[in-house]
Amino acid sequence: LVQPLAQADGVDRSDRDAPQRPSVAVRALAPMRLWRRRLEVIACCSAYALVGPSVIVVNNHIIKRLNFPYPMTLSVIGLCTTAFACAFALRILPALCRGYSRLRAALWGPPLRANSGDAHLEVAPDDVPCGSAFTLKSFSAHFWLMNMVPIGVAQGLTFACGNAAYMYLTITFTQMLSAFTPSVTLLLLYISGVEIPTTRATAAVLFIGVGCALSSYGEGRFDIVGVAFRSMGIFTEAARLVLTQKLLKHHNMNVLESQYHLAPIGAGCLLVGASFAELPRAAREGALDTLRANPIPFVASALLGVGASFMTFLVIKVTNSVTLKVLNTARNAAFVLFTVTFLHEDASLVQLCGYTISLASFSLYTYFKIKSI
């Protein structure tokens, strides 16, 4: 019926069914979108490379230069800031967006829904993106105690033990010891049955341990207490990674949701410990005066801690997990060179050789994981 009508009107409708070519405006915007995508990747990767080391440098400055030897208290400040930021994004921000949309509808009336072919598309008040972008899953008390609490406690202990190690060790040596984390993680994955490593991956992990042993042997300021704190931090970090991997197999959560649940647990755990081990001594030694006299380093430590928690998620979002591993390896190597060159920390030739072996072995381990060989 359509074809005779079209012929009667003298209109050629045969081109309507043909695929439409992109308009000139769309083709002109394509390079801009490509450059925007590249700039997003560069910005996220650069921020990831800078934020993590900045947290370490600032915390080391607070503990050593400002004479604030309270690692649990310092970690509580960072975790509380992260918890507040996640609560604001998940609870307060959506409520503000919904209130704004209702106020706008009350003052100017509900916006009209336009057709998709119109030039301007108005969004209805109930469809405000920031009000619906974040959703929280509800968990039972048993699930929360059996899954969230262990991960949150492990996260808090990781931060506290890492800060405590700076009281006894240099940043360079603590970063070299951190290269041993994949070995402990692989061992825990195998024990828990989450993942069975291949022979080549196991060999690469063993060489990581050899490199860390050489780094420890070449350390001129070896302190057993600092090594014990760093080792405990490595173990709790590996346990957190394993428990998180088991959790994410059945429950998909983004970084906001996970930190919304985990950061308060870690902060509460450390606050209990600090109430007995640090806060009474801090009150006697006037630690609050130190915080009042130097607020900028503490604020910077808290805000950088929030950024470090989110940058891992953003890098994976704009790239992938493989890029994250490669970027993390390059960042750690560059950070060690930075501490030796600009912070003038001591590092022997044996240490640097051992750390090079650890980095090369970790690169092989990542390659074997990607290829599943």
Side-chain angles (χ1 to χ4, degrees):
L1 294 176
V2 175
Q3 186 174 359
L5 290 175
Q7 293 175 354
D9 295 338
V11 179
D12 185 9
R13 301 176 186 268
S14 60
D15 293 338
R16 291 190 177 183
D17 297 332
Q20 298 293 327
R21 296 182 60 186
S23 63
V24 177
V26 173
R27 291 198 301 269
L29 289 176
M32 297 178 60
R33 292 176 179 174
L34 179 61
W35 277 106
R36 179 182 176 183
R37 171 71 177 176
R38 291 175 178 175
L39 291 176
E40 287 179 355
V41 172
I42 294 173
C44 290
C45 292
S46 301
Y48 175 82
L50 294 175
V51 170
S54 299
V55 176
I56 296 174
V57 172
V58 171
N59 288 346
N60 183 74
H61 173 78
I62 292 174
I63 291 174
K64 291 183 176 179
R65 300 292 180 86
L66 300 183
N67 193 22
F68 193 84
Y70 313 107
M72 285 190 288
T73 305
L74 184 61
S75 301
V76 167
I77 296 174
L79 287 172
C80 288
T81 306
T82 302
F84 176 78
C86 294
F88 178 82
L90 291 173
R91 294 290 190 184
I92 302 175
L93 184 60
L96 292 177
C97 290
R98 289 192 295 268
Y100 169 75
S101 64
R102 290 169 185 156
L103 179 62
R104 186 183 63 181
L107 293 177
W108 293 287
L112 298 176
R113 295 180 182 270
N115 296 325
S116 59
D118 294 340
H120 300 284
L121 183 63
E122 189 74 30
V123 181
D126 295 335
D127 298 332
V128 177
C130 60
S132 60
F134 306 115
T135 56
L136 277 175
K137 300 180 180 66
S138 59
F139 300 109
S140 63
H142 180 266
F143 177 87
W144 191 77
L145 289 174
M146 298 301 297
N147 294 274
M148 295 299 184
V149 171
I151 299 175
V153 171
Q155 177 178 335
L157 291 176
T158 299
F159 292 161
C161 292
N163 288 332
Y166 299 138
M167 296 190 298
Y168 306 93
L169 305 175
T170 61
I171 298 178
T172 304
F173 188 40
T174 54
Q175 287 300 111
M176 291 181 178
L177 290 178
S178 298
F180 197 64
T181 304
S183 302
V184 182
T185 305
L186 188 68
L187 178 62
L188 293 180
L189 287 172
Y190 177 76
I191 293 175
S192 61
V194 176
E195 182 178 329
I196 305 299
T198 62
T199 304
R200 295 182 180 181
T202 304
V205 168
L206 290 177
F207 275 101
I208 293 176
V210 172
C212 291
L214 283 176
S215 300
S216 301
Y217 178 77
E219 172 62 22
R221 299 179 181 179
F222 188 89
D223 190 288
I224 189 63
V225 178
V227 172
F229 275 122
R230 194 68 197 99
S231 301
M232 179 61 69
I234 291 172
F235 178 79
T236 54
E237 172 68 9
R240 184 186 69 86
L241 293 174
V242 172
L243 293 173
T244 303
Q245 184 170 337
K246 291 182 64 177
L247 176 65
L248 294 180
K249 275 189 173 182
H250 306 285
H251 302 275
N252 185 21
M253 290 190 297
N254 58 34
V255 65
L256 281 173
E257 282 185 297
S258 61
Q259 290 302 318
Y260 175 82
H261 294 286
L262 300 177
I265 297 173
C269 171
L270 294 182
L271 185 59
V272 172
S275 299
F276 294 96
E278 292 183 355
L279 294 182
R281 179 166 55 91
R284 293 194 304 267
E285 297 176 356
L288 187 59
D289 296 334
T290 302
L291 196 150
R292 289 174 179 172
N294 305 275
I296 295 179
F298 289 93
V299 173
S301 174
L303 296 180
L304 288 171
V306 176
S309 300
F310 294 157
M311 288 316 303
T312 300
F313 172 77
L314 291 178
V315 170
I316 294 177
K317 183 178 180 180
V318 300
T319 58
N320 50 55
S321 59
V322 177
T323 303
L324 176 67
K325 293 181 179 180
V326 175
L327 184 62
N328 183 65
T329 304
R331 181 186 71 172
N332 292 340
F335 187 41
V336 168
L337 293 178
F338 173 82
T339 57
V340 173
T341 305
F342 294 97
L343 300 184
H344 306 291
E345 293 191 346
D346 296 330
S348 64
L349 181 61
V350 176
Q351 274 187 295
L352 295 177
C353 290
Y355 189 57
T356 303
I357 293 174
S358 298
L359 292 179
S361 301
F362 181 75
S363 300
L364 287 175
Y365 169 75
T366 304
Y367 175 78
F368 294 149
K369 288 278 292 181
I370 297 171
K371 298 297 184 179
S372 299
I373 58 177

